Amino acid sequence: MSFVGKVLVVVQVVLSVCFMGFAGAVFTAQTNWRNESLKLKDNVASLQKSMNELESEYSNYKTDKTKEVNDAKSQAELAKAANEALTAKIKEKQNDLDTVSAERDTSVAQAETTGEEAKFRRQESDRQRVVNKTLHNTINDLRAKIKSLEDTIFTQSIREKSLVAKHNKVLDELNYLNKIVANLGIDPSDPAIAGMQTPPPAVEGLIINTKKDKRNGTKFVEVSLGSDDGLSKGHQLYVYRFGNKENGNRPKYLGKIELVYVDPDKAVGTVIDAAKNGVIEKGDHVNSKL
């Protein structure tokens, strides 16, 4: 056998071995592919089933969520309508609040004004009450004075009636005495007679000097009153001295004088009645009434 034949045989053997290996590999690969194919078919079937289940769940989920979305949209629309209604109501309430605030401010201003007026009226009332109380007290005092004056007037009217009666009686007696004096030939215009007939007016003066006649012991006093004061010869005056704190400021009676000489602004009288415990001195008082 030639070398070429040997080489071809070797090549044939090598190729046979290669083809055997290749066939074994193909067979092994075919067997593995079939198993993998069956496994993949099972996986595809399982996945298809899972996908169907997922599609069913997704459909249910989509239906539920679509329903929820629709419900949410309906609720949103209702909420929007309610919100718009609430917004309008809030705006209306805000307008009402603004109106009420304005009315409140007006009421507060009126209340403050009313309070000030009430305070002023209360103060005015208090002042008027004080004035009324003062007027009431004044009225009561005036009523008391009026009552006292009415009593005084009543007493004075009684005295006046008594004095009128006495005056009429004295006039009758004076007329009677004038007739007697005229029958005796005495002039009634003689100052001595006039002083004896007419009582001295209500006067008050001072002793301005005293003097005693050593021959007959007669004591003469000069007084600060005269004919200008309504005095005449024959009028009699009372002499007294103001007291001191020891005897309670009571006046002390010193005696009585009878005027024997009368000037317009002064007169001289003699002491006709002297108190036992008093001496008439300069500065003592004279009065026509005790």
Side-chain angles (χ1 to χ4, degrees):
M1 179 179 286
S2 64
F3 176 74
V4 174
K6 291 180 179 180
V7 170
L8 290 172
V9 172
V10 172
V11 170
Q12 187 179 0
V13 171
V14 170
L15 290 173
S16 296
V17 172
C18 290
F19 285 134
M20 287 178 66
F22 180 75
V26 169
F27 178 76
T28 302
Q30 183 180 2
T31 301
N32 292 334
W33 177 84
R34 186 176 181 182
N35 291 332
E36 290 294 329
S37 175
L38 293 174
K39 186 184 287 186
L40 288 174
K41 286 182 179 180
D42 292 337
N43 290 335
V44 169
S46 178
L47 290 173
Q48 185 66 39
K49 184 179 179 180
S50 297
M51 186 180 70
N52 293 333
E53 290 177 354
L54 288 174
E55 285 179 353
S56 178
E57 290 178 359
Y58 172 74
S59 178
N60 294 332
Y61 176 78
K62 182 179 180 181
T63 303
D64 294 338
K65 293 303 177 181
T66 302
K67 185 178 179 181
E68 289 180 0
V69 169
N70 293 331
D71 293 339
K73 286 182 179 180
S74 299
Q75 292 178 358
E77 291 177 356
L78 293 175
K80 182 178 180 181
N83 185 29
E84 291 176 354
L86 287 175
T87 302
K89 195 170 184 179
I90 289 172
K91 187 175 181 180
E92 181 182 357
K93 293 299 182 183
Q94 184 65 39
N95 294 332
D96 294 341
L97 180 61
D98 294 338
T99 303
V100 171
S101 298
E103 292 178 352
R104 183 202 60 189
D105 295 338
T106 304
S107 298
V108 168
Q110 292 177 351
E112 291 177 352
T113 304
T114 304
E116 292 295 330
E117 291 178 354
K119 182 179 180 181
F120 175 76
R121 291 177 181 175
R122 184 167 56 253
Q123 293 176 352
E124 185 66 22
S125 177
D126 293 338
R127 290 193 294 268
Q128 190 62 38
R129 190 178 295 110
V130 173
V131 173
N132 291 339
K133 184 177 180 181
T134 303
L135 291 175
H136 183 70
N137 294 333
T138 303
I139 290 172
N140 290 335
D141 293 340
L142 290 175
R143 286 177 178 174
K145 290 180 179 179
I146 290 172
K147 178 64 176 176
S148 176
L149 290 173
E150 288 177 349
D151 295 339
T152 303
I153 290 172
F154 179 74
T155 303
Q156 293 296 333
S157 64
I158 294 175
R159 291 181 179 177
E160 182 183 3
K161 292 179 181 179
S162 177
L163 290 174
V164 169
K166 289 181 179 180
H167 178 69
N168 293 331
K169 183 178 179 181
V170 169
L171 286 179
D172 293 338
E173 292 178 353
L174 181 60
N175 292 330
Y176 178 73
L177 291 175
N178 284 333
K179 291 179 181 179
I180 294 176
V181 169
N183 291 332
L184 293 175
I186 300 174
D187 185 6
S189 61
D190 187 356
I193 301 300
M196 293 173 61
Q197 291 180 352
T198 305
V203 293
E204 183 175 357
L206 295 174
I207 301 294
I208 58 178
N209 198 6
T210 62
K211 186 176 181 181
K212 187 174 183 180
D213 190 345
K214 296 181 179 180
R215 291 177 299 175
N216 54 16
T218 301
K219 187 172 184 180
F220 295 94
V221 295
E222 185 177 3
V223 298
S224 61
L225 302 171
S227 59
D228 290 344
D229 300 300
L231 296 178
S232 302
K233 182 179 177 182
H235 281 160
Q236 296 180 357
L237 301 176
Y238 299 96
V239 184
Y240 62 94
R241 182 178 300 150
F242 281 131
N244 50 33
K245 294 182 179 179
E246 295 179 357
N247 58 12
N249 293 326
R250 292 177 298 178
K252 180 180 179 182
Y253 176 75
L254 299 177
K256 184 167 61 174
I257 64 174
E258 182 177 336
L259 300 181
V260 297
Y261 177 79
V262 179
D263 275 347
D265 56 352
K266 61 183 179 179
V268 177
T270 59
V271 178
I272 60 175
D273 181 23
K276 295 181 180 180
N277 57 350
V279 178
I280 299 174
E281 298 177 351
K282 180 180 180 180
D284 291 333
H285 292 258
V286 294
N287 199 332
S288 58
K289 305 289 184 181
L290 276 178

